[in-house]
Amino acid sequence: MNALDALRAWTVRHWTVATVSAVATAVVMAVPTAVLPNPWFWREVPTPVWAYPVLALVAILSGLVAATYVRSPDGPGGRRASAGALLGFFAVGCPVCNKLVLLVLGYAGAMTWFEPVQPFLAVLAVAGMAAALRARLRGALACPVPVATPRSPEEIP
Protein backbone atom coordinates (compact mmCIF):
# COMPACT_ATOMS: atom_id res chain seq x y z
CA MET A 1 0.00 0.00 0.00
CA ASN A 2 1.44 3.38 -0.98
CA ALA A 3 0.53 7.02 -0.32
CA LEU A 4 -1.84 7.09 -3.30
CA ASP A 5 -3.73 4.15 -1.79
CA ALA A 6 -4.06 6.11 1.45
CA LEU A 7 -5.62 9.01 -0.48
CA ARG A 8 -8.01 6.63 -2.24
CA ALA A 9 -9.18 5.38 1.15
CA TRP A 10 -10.17 8.85 2.30
CA THR A 11 -13.79 9.56 3.09
CA VAL A 12 -15.93 12.53 2.09
CA ARG A 13 -15.03 14.06 5.44
CA HIS A 14 -11.30 13.94 4.57
CA TRP A 15 -11.87 15.59 1.20
CA THR A 16 -14.14 18.23 2.73
CA VAL A 17 -11.49 19.13 5.30
CA ALA A 18 -8.85 19.19 2.54
CA THR A 19 -10.92 21.51 0.36
CA VAL A 20 -11.95 23.91 3.12
CA SER A 21 -8.38 24.03 4.49
CA ALA A 22 -6.89 24.64 1.04
CA VAL A 23 -9.28 27.52 0.34
CA ALA A 24 -8.69 29.00 3.82
CA THR A 25 -4.92 28.75 3.38
CA ALA A 26 -5.10 30.41 -0.03
CA VAL A 27 -7.17 33.30 1.35
CA VAL A 28 -5.05 33.72 4.48
CA MET A 29 -1.89 33.82 2.35
CA ALA A 30 -3.18 35.74 -0.68
CA VAL A 31 -5.06 38.59 1.01
CA PRO A 32 -2.37 39.99 3.38
CA THR A 33 0.38 39.50 0.79
CA ALA A 34 -1.86 41.19 -1.82
CA VAL A 35 -1.29 38.38 -4.30
CA LEU A 36 -5.07 38.58 -4.52
CA PRO A 37 -5.82 42.29 -5.01
CA ASN A 38 -8.02 43.62 -2.24
CA PRO A 39 -8.94 46.95 -0.63
CA TRP A 40 -7.15 46.23 2.67
CA PHE A 41 -3.61 45.43 1.51
CA TRP A 42 -1.50 46.50 -1.45
CA ARG A 43 1.91 45.73 -2.86
CA GLU A 44 4.72 48.14 -3.58
CA VAL A 45 6.32 45.55 -5.89
CA PRO A 46 4.27 43.68 -8.53
CA THR A 47 3.49 40.03 -7.81
CA PRO A 48 5.93 37.79 -9.68
CA VAL A 49 4.40 35.25 -12.06
CA TRP A 50 5.78 32.28 -10.09
CA ALA A 51 3.95 33.37 -6.91
CA TYR A 52 0.56 32.20 -8.21
CA PRO A 53 1.47 28.53 -8.75
CA VAL A 54 3.45 28.52 -5.49
CA LEU A 55 0.42 29.88 -3.64
CA ALA A 56 -1.78 27.22 -5.26
CA LEU A 57 0.64 24.39 -4.46
CA VAL A 58 1.14 25.46 -0.84
CA ALA A 59 -2.63 25.83 -0.37
CA ILE A 60 -3.40 22.42 -1.90
CA LEU A 61 -0.66 20.69 0.06
CA SER A 62 -1.77 22.45 3.26
CA GLY A 63 -5.30 21.22 2.69
CA LEU A 64 -4.12 17.66 2.12
CA VAL A 65 -1.92 17.75 5.23
CA ALA A 66 -4.82 19.14 7.29
CA ALA A 67 -7.04 16.29 6.08
CA THR A 68 -4.54 13.73 7.41
CA TYR A 69 -5.41 14.95 10.91
CA VAL A 70 -9.09 14.01 10.56
CA ARG A 71 -8.72 10.61 12.23
CA SER A 72 -5.23 10.68 13.67
CA PRO A 73 -4.04 13.95 15.17
CA ASP A 74 -0.72 12.45 16.30
CA GLY A 75 2.09 11.57 13.99
CA PRO A 76 4.95 12.93 11.95
CA GLY A 77 4.97 15.89 9.62
CA GLY A 78 3.46 18.66 11.74
CA ARG A 79 6.62 20.75 12.03
CA ARG A 80 7.41 20.38 8.34
CA ALA A 81 3.92 21.49 7.41
CA SER A 82 4.10 24.53 9.67
CA ALA A 83 7.53 25.47 8.32
CA GLY A 84 6.37 24.96 4.74
CA ALA A 85 3.32 27.17 5.19
CA LEU A 86 5.38 29.91 6.85
CA LEU A 87 8.02 29.79 4.11
CA GLY A 88 5.25 29.92 1.50
CA PHE A 89 3.85 33.04 3.13
CA PHE A 90 7.25 34.76 3.02
CA ALA A 91 7.89 33.52 -0.52
CA VAL A 92 4.77 35.03 -2.09
CA GLY A 93 4.75 38.21 0.01
CA CYS A 94 5.89 41.61 -1.15
CA PRO A 95 9.55 42.03 -0.13
CA VAL A 96 9.12 45.64 0.96
CA CYS A 97 5.65 45.21 2.49
CA ASN A 98 6.83 42.67 5.06
CA LYS A 99 7.41 44.59 8.31
CA LEU A 100 9.81 41.99 9.68
CA VAL A 101 11.99 42.06 6.55
CA LEU A 102 11.94 45.87 6.49
CA LEU A 103 12.88 46.02 10.15
CA VAL A 104 15.82 43.66 9.70
CA LEU A 105 17.06 44.65 6.22
CA GLY A 106 15.52 48.02 5.39
CA TYR A 107 14.04 48.88 1.99
CA ALA A 108 17.27 48.54 0.03
CA GLY A 109 18.15 45.29 1.79
CA ALA A 110 14.71 43.85 1.15
CA MET A 111 15.03 44.55 -2.57
CA THR A 112 18.70 43.55 -2.78
CA TRP A 113 18.81 40.51 -0.50
CA PHE A 114 15.31 39.24 0.25
CA GLU A 115 13.60 39.53 -3.14
CA PRO A 116 16.16 37.31 -4.95
CA VAL A 117 15.82 34.68 -2.19
CA GLN A 118 12.03 34.43 -2.43
CA PRO A 119 12.00 31.84 -5.27
CA PHE A 120 14.24 29.59 -3.16
CA LEU A 121 11.87 30.06 -0.20
CA ALA A 122 9.06 29.02 -2.52
CA VAL A 123 10.87 25.80 -3.48
CA LEU A 124 11.59 25.07 0.20
CA ALA A 125 7.95 25.75 1.09
CA VAL A 126 6.59 23.34 -1.50
CA ALA A 127 9.23 20.71 -0.66
CA GLY A 128 8.48 21.05 3.06
CA MET A 129 4.75 20.70 2.52
CA ALA A 130 5.25 17.69 0.23
CA ALA A 131 7.56 16.05 2.79
CA ALA A 132 5.01 16.68 5.53
CA LEU A 133 2.23 15.14 3.44
CA ARG A 134 4.37 12.13 2.62
CA ALA A 135 5.28 11.63 6.28
CA ARG A 136 1.64 11.93 7.37
CA LEU A 137 0.43 9.49 4.70
CA ARG A 138 3.20 7.01 5.50
CA GLY A 139 2.28 7.23 9.16
CA ALA A 140 -1.37 6.56 8.31
CA LEU A 141 -0.34 3.47 6.37
CA ALA A 142 2.04 2.22 9.06
CA CYS A 143 -0.41 2.63 11.93
CA PRO A 144 -3.96 2.65 10.62
CA VAL A 145 -6.67 3.64 13.06
CA PRO A 146 -9.23 0.86 13.46
CA VAL A 147 -12.73 1.72 12.40
CA ALA A 148 -15.21 1.51 15.25
CA THR A 149 -18.02 -0.90 14.55
CA PRO A 150 -21.40 -0.33 16.12
CA ARG A 151 -22.17 -2.65 19.00
CA SER A 152 -25.31 -4.63 19.31
CA PRO A 153 -27.55 -3.88 22.32
CA GLU A 154 -26.59 -7.22 23.90
CA GLU A 155 -22.88 -6.24 24.04
CA ILE A 156 -23.43 -2.95 25.86
CA PRO A 157 -23.12 -3.39 29.65
Side-chain angles (χ1 to χ4, degrees):
M1 194 174 206
N2 61 23
L4 195 54
D5 292 331
L7 289 176
R8 285 188 191 118
W10 279 9
T11 63
V12 172
R13 185 174 174 201
H14 285 94
W15 290 109
T16 302
V17 168
T19 303
V20 170
S21 297
V23 170
T25 300
V27 169
V28 166
M29 286 181 64
V31 170
T33 60
V35 170
L36 178 67
N38 63 79
W40 306 288
F41 300 96
W42 60 92
R43 292 178 71 100
E44 298 291 326
V45 177
T47 304
V49 175
W50 56 262
Y52 298 103
V54 167
L55 176 65
L57 282 171
V58 168
I60 290 167
L61 290 169
S62 292
L64 292 173
V65 169
T68 64
Y69 286 90
V70 168
R71 293 184 69 182
S72 171
D74 298 326
R79 287 189 184 130
R80 283 178 236 162
S82 299
L86 185 62
L87 285 173
F89 184 80
F90 281 115
V92 299
C94 172
V96 294
C97 304
N98 186 320
K99 306 294 187 258
L100 183 61
V101 172
L102 280 179
L103 181 66
V104 173
L105 300 174
Y107 184 88
M111 294 302 293
T112 305
W113 297 100
F114 186 67
E115 186 179 31
V117 172
Q118 285 182 297
F120 298 107
L121 294 178
V123 170
L124 289 173
V126 171
M129 293 301 297
L133 179 61
R134 183 172 182 248
R136 291 291 303 165
L137 291 175
R138 289 177 84 190
L141 293 173
C143 302
V145 176
V147 177
T149 57
R151 292 182 159 187
S152 65
E154 297 85 34
E155 294 178 20
I156 299 175

